[in-house]
Amino acid sequence: MNYTGQRPTTASNPLSAEELRAMNAWWRACNYLSVGMIYLRDNPLLKESLKIEHVKHRLLGHWGASPALSFVWLHLNRVIKRDDLDMIFMAGPGHGAPGVIGPTYLEGTYSEVYPDKSEDTEGLRKFFKQFSFPGQIGSHVTPETPGSIHEGGELGYSLSHAYGACLDNPDLIVACVVGDGEAETGPLATAWHSNKFINPIRDGAVLPILNLNGYKIANPTILARISHDRLAALFHGYGYTPYFVEGDDPDSMHQAMAQTLDTVISEIRAIQKAARASGKAELPSWPMIVLRTPKGWTGPKEINGHKAEGSWRSHQVPFSDVRTNSAHLKLLEDWLSSYKPEELFDASGRLMSELRELAPQGQRRMSANLHANGGLLRKDLKLPDFRNYAVEVKQAGKVLYENTKPLGEFLRDVMRNNMTNFRVFGPDETASNRLQSIYEVSKKVWMAELLPEDADGGELSRDGRVMEMLSEHTLIGWLEGYLLSGRHGFFHTYEAFAHVIDSMFNQHAKWLDISKNHVPWRAPVASQNILLSSTVWRQDHNGFSHQDPGFIDLVTNKSPSVTRIYLPPDANTLLVIADQCLRSTDCINVIVADKQKHLQFTTIEEAIVHCAKGIGIWRRASNDEGVEPDVVMASCGDVATQEALAATALLREHLPDLKVRFVNVVDLYKMQPITEHPCGSTDREFDSLFTTNKPVIFNFHGYPWLIHKLAYRFKNHENLHVRGYKERGNINTPLELAILNQTDRSTLVIDVIDRVPGLAAKAAHLKEQMKNQIILNLAYAHEHGTDKDEFTNWVWPY
């Protein structure tokens, strides 16, 4: 088989001489703006010689990828306008904002969104000054940039974002420029496989464009230094038909790019037309483009005798000493003048009218496309009544049930009611996390080869809506693209391995924070909902590697306006929280709920009230009503709550005069002052629950120091004693794991005895009994490989 890929021929040039002249001029204007953004704070059209005061004090920005980005944008505009295409743009190369912001300004969208950046000399001056300037915009395609749903602050996610945006958008084409440095990242490498999950009947299309400019910050890129045949074979292996557009001469490159885009757009439409006409979706070979151009294309060829264009030296600011080096100032002036701005802008500083006509109109402009401001397209989910999925709890703490199973039934009907704008994303764990009821409505989408045995429980389907792939990077990238383009979704994964997406969570939280609080024209998008299951306390068979509750620690580091953390203690509170999260916008909701069987404590009515408060006294577990408690026993998390309740039962049995108040926390941020988080507690609320001077024994699902981090400002913090996971575990029984980390019932009883004044001597025998139980239970686990029946079959006795 020939894997050399397709190269455009030069026998037929699709652009007329006039079209070629106009496109070259428009591109020169973009490149002029890109250089001006990086260097200039004044004198935008070079109507006089460049002076030191015209140059920024701070030079921050990347020039290398900008010409290629605006080149692609220009050519996409041509086919959008000709064919009335619905298309958005993803800029993968890092710090590539000049190559995107320039086109948005020339199209007029930037001035519409920011009227002070008007289409005249004064507006252009402000436009230049704002770039990478304190208090203004960054060098990435940040939320402030019209037409963007992908910042690129961290490399690797452009392609997964692009594929997520095209799901359930049958008329949308997402053009995604992938940087060749970015292509070396793990998330980007797995994202190439996204083409196996696109159904050409009901989904749109992604056009990947690999920007092969050869260099990263200070090194060549891998894909630029392998042979053409190997590169073509790589993308054939991924399942694409690669087309190569290569060179540096603008005229021939414009002709080649125009011809190639004509071809690939025709291929995309042919694939979709055939599938939609036949009603039969198969895995096609989608087209993609490899665009090989010099890094820093059209910039200075040499600087101080060193190669610049086509070198790593053009990656960022090619020269940064223009305020002190007169030769470099002259070089900058010559560079800017080479674009002939006097031919591009009229006397007022506005782009010439014949060049403005090259851009599409209205919402067909990629900078104004509604899919890039997805909140404008978002429709509320049609949600079933979560009460219909409740577990019946006749007696609290007596019934065992898998907490996430009712959630799966609820999500099944959420999917049933929203078959065009809701999807569930997760690794190979939907059934493992007890969410398999979803398959009753929609299977797992699978466009690759199907085998006969798949029909026997494989749950695969060409038109499935459940997204499963063993790459959390790609999954969360799909979800983010899906949400930011106006839809809704739910992501689940094993708790310990949520750390795979730590940095992706960071980036999305930052995007939401800026969008929500600083970009008023961005409409709210549906929240990102993350379920962490298969949790730390039920990893008796998987061992130490699967024991890590630390993802929520990371979440607390991000903006309080966009982060929420919930630890429902049972199935009914989980249902209430899930309904609440699916209704929310502009947040990241993290829910921690184990999949194993657990005791059920709340009726659905009690769950509604408890979750509305986020924190509260459990009256049935307390005996302090009408008096001050001697101790507050608190819990957060399903297993932590069960052990804290068991300790409370032991205290009430052996020390009946001891007044114990039991407090349960569902909303973790209730442990923080309201001055620090909108879900936090006031001083009066916290003091009322936890007192100002009584010992508090807090049994926590995660790392214990997180509670101290949140609650340190409250008055009674010095009496707050937190138990949680302390990195002690391996192949352990549930009780053994709790004992090793001191979250077990016996240890909690000892904590109370040690900390309540007067109990140390009075309850010495009980303390000895608890210490004996710890020793005996550990020995029993090591001998029998299980816990004693009195632990595994324990129920709430009151």
Side-chain angles (χ1 to χ4, degrees):
M1 184 175 289
N2 178 11
Y3 288 130
T4 58
Q6 306 295 320
R7 294 177 187 267
T9 66
T10 56
S12 174
N13 290 330
L15 301 177
S16 68
E18 182 59 28
E19 287 175 319
L20 180 60
R21 185 202 66 79
M23 293 184 75
N24 243 326
W26 201 92
W27 186 47
R28 281 192 284 121
C30 285
N31 291 336
Y32 177 82
L33 295 183
S34 295
V35 180
M37 274 184 263
I38 296 171
Y39 281 97
L40 298 185
R41 61 171 294 163
D42 204 348
N43 194 26
L45 295 178
L46 291 179
K47 293 180 180 177
E48 55 185 277
S49 295
L50 199 61
K51 299 177 181 178
I52 291 176
E53 56 265 29
H54 298 152
V55 182
K56 290 181 177 178
H57 290 277
R58 295 157 51 94
L59 300 180
L60 293 173
H62 284 213
W63 161 246
S66 297
L69 288 169
S70 58
F71 178 83
V72 172
W73 188 293
L74 165 64
H75 279 271
L76 294 174
N77 271 354
R78 171 181 167 268
V79 293
I80 291 170
K81 188 170 182 179
R82 184 194 66 194
D83 299 338
D84 191 31
L85 298 180
D86 191 6
M87 184 177 285
I88 61 174
F89 188 90
M90 297 276 187
H95 301 278
V100 174
I101 299 176
T104 68
Y105 179 80
L106 294 182
E107 291 181 347
T109 309
Y110 209 89
S111 299
E112 292 168 11
V113 174
Y114 304 106
D116 63 320
K117 312 302 187 300
S118 49
E119 295 181 83
D120 53 31
T121 303
E122 182 59 30
L124 193 56
R125 182 174 288 110
K126 293 179 179 178
F127 177 77
F128 282 166
K129 182 178 180 180
Q130 69 172 347
F131 182 76
S132 278
F133 200 80
Q136 301 293 320
I137 65 171
S139 60
H140 301 290
V141 187
T142 59
E144 294 93 340
T145 305
S148 174
I149 61 170
H150 170 80
E151 174 175 324
E154 180 183 4
L155 300 179
Y157 314 136
S158 60
L159 199 55
S160 57
H161 283 165
Y163 276 102
C166 89
L167 294 172
D168 296 318
N169 263 330
D171 298 324
L172 183 68
I173 298 177
V174 185
C176 180
V177 181
V178 177
D180 53 351
E182 179 187 29
E184 297 177 10
T185 65
L188 199 290
T190 57
W192 290 114
H193 288 298
S194 301
N195 57 359
K196 286 86 170 174
F197 298 86
I198 299 302
N199 182 318
I201 295 176
R202 53 112 190 267
D203 299 326
V206 172
L207 175 58
I209 303 169
L210 176 62
N211 178 209
L212 207 65
N213 66 26
Y215 292 92
K216 305 185 286 282
I217 294 177
N219 277 293
T221 57
I222 294 171
L223 295 185
R225 295 292 182 94
I226 64 176
S227 71
H228 176 94
D229 288 354
R230 287 186 175 183
L231 186 62
L234 174 69
F235 289 110
H236 275 288
Y238 273 126
Y240 295 92
T241 300
Y243 289 84
F244 287 78
V245 179
E246 303 170 292
D248 60 0
D249 175 65
D251 285 358
S252 61
M253 286 295 285
H254 280 302
Q255 294 288 8
M257 189 64 174
Q259 182 175 337
T260 301
L261 268 181
D262 289 349
T263 300
V264 299
I265 295 298
S266 295
E267 282 193 21
I268 289 171
R269 288 305 191 217
I271 289 168
Q272 294 174 333
K273 183 178 179 181
R276 293 168 190 180
S278 67
K280 185 176 181 181
E282 298 293 345
L283 178 62
S285 181
W286 293 97
M288 57 93 61
I289 296 173
V290 178
L291 176 65
R292 190 189 293 268
T293 60
K295 197 171 189 72
W297 195 13
T298 76
K301 303 294 184 184
E302 287 189 357
I303 300 174
N304 298 331
H306 298 290
K307 184 176 181 179
E309 182 191 61
S311 161
W312 58 267
R313 289 186 173 86
S314 66
H315 178 77
Q316 299 185 43
V317 177
F319 44 90
S320 59
D321 58 348
V322 287
R323 295 185 65 84
T324 57
N325 187 321
S326 59
H328 284 179
L329 182 64
K330 181 62 168 64
L331 181 58
L332 173 61
E333 182 177 13
D334 293 343
W335 180 11
L336 285 161
S337 298
S338 71
Y339 297 120
K340 301 179 180 179
E342 69 278 2
E343 298 178 359
L344 309 175
F345 300 91
D346 63 22
S348 70
R350 191 181 190 197
L351 187 69
M352 294 291 189
S353 58
E354 62 268 27
L355 299 183
R356 295 201 304 271
E357 293 176 1
L358 293 179
Q361 299 300 305
Q363 293 172 1
R364 279 297 188 246
R365 293 172 294 176
M366 291 187 290
S367 56
N369 192 296
L370 295 183
H371 292 99
N373 189 2
L376 297 174
L377 298 174
R378 179 183 58 85
K379 297 180 179 178
D380 291 341
L381 289 172
K382 183 181 178 182
L383 293 175
D385 189 340
F386 63 86
R387 298 168 185 82
N388 296 334
Y389 308 87
V391 174
E392 185 177 9
V393 180
K394 294 181 178 179
Q395 288 184 291
K398 306 284 189 184
V399 178
L400 285 171
Y401 210 84
E402 294 161 316
N403 285 351
T404 55
K405 187 176 180 181
L407 173 64
E409 295 166 355
F410 175 64
L411 293 176
R412 172 198 64 200
D413 293 339
V414 174
M415 181 84 79
R416 192 195 308 276
N417 293 348
N418 303 274
M419 290 294 279
T420 60
N421 67 335
F422 176 76
R423 293 203 182 207
V424 173
F425 302 77
D428 186 24
E429 297 158 0
T430 302
S432 175
N433 285 330
R434 310 299 191 265
L435 304 177
Q436 65 269 26
S437 293
I438 299 171
Y439 297 146
E440 297 171 22
V441 171
S442 183
K443 308 298 185 183
K444 296 174 278 189
V445 62
W446 187 260
M447 299 302 298
E449 182 182 8
L450 288 171
L451 301 177
E453 54 265 33
D454 294 329
D456 183 18
E459 308 290 2
L460 303 178
S461 173
R462 299 293 193 214
D463 62 352
R465 303 188 54 75
V466 179
M467 310 295 291
E468 289 194 19
M469 179 181 176
L470 204 52
S471 168
E472 288 90 344
H473 285 128
T474 303
L475 289 162
I476 204 73
W478 288 344
L479 174 58
E480 288 170 359
Y482 198 64
L483 298 174
L484 290 168
S485 54
R487 281 72 62 73
H488 304 255
F490 192 92
F491 174 79
H492 63 95
T493 188
Y494 285 2
E495 180 183 47
F497 306 125
H499 286 295
V500 171
I501 61 161
D502 276 4
S503 59
M504 294 188 74
F505 158 81
N506 285 339
Q507 295 299 319
H508 191 62
K510 291 173 184 292
W511 177 279
L512 289 179
D513 180 35
I514 296 296
S515 298
K516 185 175 184 177
N517 298 309
H518 303 286
V519 187
W521 55 265
R522 282 202 179 269
V525 296
S527 293
Q528 184 182 86
N529 302 305
I530 299 175
L531 170 68
L532 306 181
S533 195
S534 191
T535 56
V536 55
W537 299 107
R538 289 297 181 262
Q539 292 300 331
D540 47 304
H541 62 295
N542 286 322
F544 197 38
S545 64
H546 284 53
Q547 298 165 5
D548 189 328
F551 184 78
I552 57 177
D553 295 57
L554 172 78
V555 177
T556 63
N557 294 331
K558 290 293 162 279
S559 169
S561 70
V562 300
T563 52
R564 306 289 185 268
I565 302 172
Y566 303 101
L567 293 98
D570 61 7
N572 287 338
T573 49
L574 175 57
L575 282 171
V576 176
I577 292 299
D579 179 83
Q580 175 181 320
C581 292
L582 289 172
R583 295 178 188 276
S584 67
T585 59
D586 278 351
C587 284
I588 301 177
N589 300 307
V590 179
I591 308 169
V592 183
D594 189 52
K595 64 186 183 181
Q596 304 292 352
K597 287 186 175 181
H598 294 275
L599 290 173
Q600 302 302 304
F601 303 111
T602 63
T603 66
I604 194 64
E605 292 79 14
E606 291 170 336
I608 292 170
V609 173
H610 187 41
C611 292
K613 294 187 297 182
I615 186 173
I617 296 173
W618 277 12
R619 188 177 180 185
R620 71 174 66 91
S622 306
N623 65 350
D624 69 322
E625 191 164 352
V627 298
E628 277 195 282
D630 297 310
V631 65
V632 177
M633 183 72 73
S635 68
C636 184
D638 39 33
V639 173
T641 295
Q642 179 170 312
E643 286 303 292
L645 283 169
T648 301
L650 287 169
L651 290 168
R652 289 177 60 177
E653 175 186 354
H654 295 281
L655 301 170
D657 294 332
L658 184 72
K659 299 303 178 183
V660 181
R661 174 179 297 173
F662 193 92
V663 175
N664 180 258
V665 179
V666 176
D667 183 340
L668 182 61
Y669 282 115
K670 286 294 180 183
M671 295 302 296
Q672 195 168 26
I674 198 168
T675 54
E676 303 300 315
H677 195 284
C679 295
S681 299
T682 66
D683 287 344
R684 287 184 177 182
E685 289 169 337
F686 193 90
D687 294 347
S688 175
L689 290 171
F690 292 102
T691 77
T692 59
N693 57 1
K694 304 297 182 183
V696 178
I697 311 301
F698 197 112
N699 211 30
F700 181 46
H701 170 87
Y703 292 108
W705 40 86
L706 178 57
I707 297 299
H708 289 293
K709 167 188 167 181
L710 297 176
Y712 77 95
R713 294 190 179 199
F714 289 118
K715 292 177 184 176
N716 203 29
H717 178 255
E718 65 180 24
N719 289 315
L720 178 62
H721 309 284
V722 185
R723 294 297 187 183
Y725 185 68
K726 299 196 292 185
E727 283 293 303
R728 295 175 184 170
N730 209 311
I731 305 299
N732 307 118
T733 66
L735 180 56
E736 182 189 9
L737 185 61
I739 289 172
L740 292 177
N741 290 279
Q742 297 181 302
T743 63
D744 65 290
R745 59 198 66 181
S746 297
T747 299
L748 297 178
V749 170
I750 293 172
D751 281 341
V752 172
I753 294 171
D754 287 345
R755 290 176 170 85
V756 173
L759 275 188
K762 180 180 178 181
H765 289 279
L766 177 59
K767 182 176 179 178
E768 287 299 302
Q769 184 181 337
M770 294 298 102
K771 291 165 67 175
N772 294 345
Q773 283 297 315
I774 290 171
I775 295 169
L776 293 172
N777 283 322
L778 289 175
Y780 187 92
H782 285 197
E783 181 179 354
H784 299 280
T786 186
D787 292 316
K788 292 181 178 180
D789 287 347
E790 64 191 69
F791 171 80
T792 56
N793 297 325
W794 180 86
V795 295
W796 176 248
Y798 291 97

